[in-house]
Amino acid sequence: MTESSVLSGRAFAKEVRRNIKDEILRVGGRPPGLAVIIVGDDPASSVYVAMKEKACGKVGIESTVVRLKESISQENLLQEIDRLNEDPSVDGILCQLPLPGHISADTVASAILPDKDVDGLHPENVGRLWRGEEGLFPCTPVGIIALMKHSDIAIDGADAVIVGRSNIVGKPLAALLLRENATVCVAHSHTSDLEGLCRKADILIAAVGRPHFIKRGFIKPGATVIDVGISRTEDGLAGDVDFDEVAPICGAITPVPGGVGPLTIAFLLSNTVKAWGTYHTSSTC
Ligand code: GUN
């Protein structure tokens, strides 16, 4: 058997960012604008938001970080979103998750204008995704499909198993894989014989947030294994997949770090440029 290939999300994300930078320069005019809302001071969220800000700056996207107190009421947060919805220099709006317990993430997602919803969580974008229409879709799943296509992984006709059913990864990924003609199964904590099910997958996607949960026994030889998990452990960052056990038997695998992680920000930039394109195509000047 040939050695498995390691799919470098890091290298692909770099290429995507370079293309985005070129596209912004080519189109010219008002630069794309992204507003990132952060509520409270969760350290991990602060790190992610700082990374998004830096990535925007490097490609020519104007980013604004709106920092709000943990104690802000949902009503005041919605007012802030309305202000950004109406701001013509803002093409994309993202509210960093998780939110404090007194604020509903669903209500927030529904308050962002669908055409500015770069997280792809507004019900209208979710509907467009499942109906096979154009729209803005969640960044990590979009990035995973793009990485697989870029790496010549056959999706059409493949049996795909996704472990994890979150609104931001598992469910949108199911819709995107279906759009690419994969046969899709979404597994979760109540799935019986998870290991046996995973072993049937040509494409296995792990998005559960449990370090090294996916072992050798879960893998069909030659399968493509995409590891979305990233957990902090005593030994450093760990994915959902036990890389050392799985890599020798699979066909292709994403590492942690350097696999799926960098795709999220690259495709956030891509969604922002897509939202900005809506402005360019609707603008008369
Ligand atoms: N928190 C962790 N990942 C994400 C993401 O992709 N979008 C938002 N809004 N918050 C997150």
Side-chain angles (χ1 to χ4, degrees):
M1 197 175 68
T2 55
E3 211 176 299
S4 71
S5 54
V6 176
L7 306 176
S8 172
R10 184 174 286 143
F12 178 53
K14 193 172 170 188
E15 200 178 315
V16 170
R17 290 196 307 266
R18 195 172 46 235
N19 290 339
I20 288 171
K21 186 176 177 180
D22 290 349
E23 168 78 356
I24 293 170
L25 282 172
R26 187 185 63 75
V27 174
R30 178 183 68 74
L34 173 68
V36 178
I37 303 170
I38 177 164
V39 183
D41 43 26
D42 174 63
S45 289
S46 300
V47 170
Y48 287 133
V49 168
M51 286 164 71
K52 287 170 183 172
E53 231 183 327
K54 189 171 163 201
C56 281
K58 283 192 172 171
V59 298
I61 294 176
E62 296 263 346
S63 67
T64 314
V65 179
V66 179
R67 293 176 206 282
L68 301 170
K69 287 210 174 92
E70 173 104 22
S71 59
I72 191 170
S73 66
Q74 179 168 294
E75 196 187 337
N76 287 349
L77 172 57
L78 296 180
Q79 277 170 7
E80 207 47 61
I81 291 172
D82 268 346
R83 186 181 64 74
L84 296 168
N85 279 340
E86 283 165 22
D87 184 338
S89 69
V90 172
D91 300 288
I93 304 169
L94 173 151
C95 189
Q96 187 67 26
L97 301 173
L99 286 164
H102 65 282
I103 296 175
S104 154
D106 285 345
T107 304
V108 167
S110 302
I112 295 171
L113 273 181
D115 288 348
K116 294 193 176 192
D117 168 37
V118 285
D119 251 338
L121 295 175
H122 188 286
E124 186 168 326
N125 280 318
V126 176
R128 289 181 191 172
L129 172 61
W130 283 97
R131 287 165 62 107
E133 297 170 2
E134 266 299 308
L136 290 167
F137 309 136
C139 312
T140 307
V142 170
I144 290 170
I145 299 290
L147 175 67
M148 284 199 284
K149 286 186 172 178
H150 173 79
S151 312
D152 292 325
I153 306 289
I155 306 177
D156 196 317
D159 287 335
V161 173
I162 302 163
V163 190
R165 53 176 159 176
S166 67
N167 286 333
I168 199 141
V169 179
K171 288 185 212 165
L173 200 43
L176 288 169
L177 285 164
L178 205 52
R179 284 172 72 139
E180 298 295 330
N181 299 319
T183 301
V184 185
C185 184
V186 182
H188 46 78
S189 52
H190 293 229
T191 300
S192 64
D193 189 20
L194 180 65
E195 189 168 328
L197 179 71
C198 290
R199 213 165 35 238
K200 293 193 182 122
D202 303 308
I203 298 171
L204 177 63
I205 297 168
V208 279
R210 292 174 63 176
H212 295 180
F213 177 66
I214 303 290
K215 304 280 186 192
R216 183 198 312 266
F218 288 64
I219 308 298
K220 175 178 181 175
T224 296
V225 180
I226 306 289
D227 191 350
V228 186
I230 186 151
S231 308
R232 249 166 246 285
T233 70
E234 281 176 3
D235 305 324
L237 295 177
D240 287 350
V241 178
D242 189 328
F243 186 95
D244 292 342
E245 271 198 16
V246 168
I249 52 171
C250 68
I253 185 166
T254 58
V256 174
V260 170
L263 300 175
T264 303
I265 293 186
F267 282 85
L268 168 64
L269 306 178
S270 165
N271 269 356
T272 305
V273 169
K274 197 169 168 186
W276 177 62
T278 310
Y279 153 82
H280 273 275
T281 48
S282 64
S283 163
T284 49
C285 49

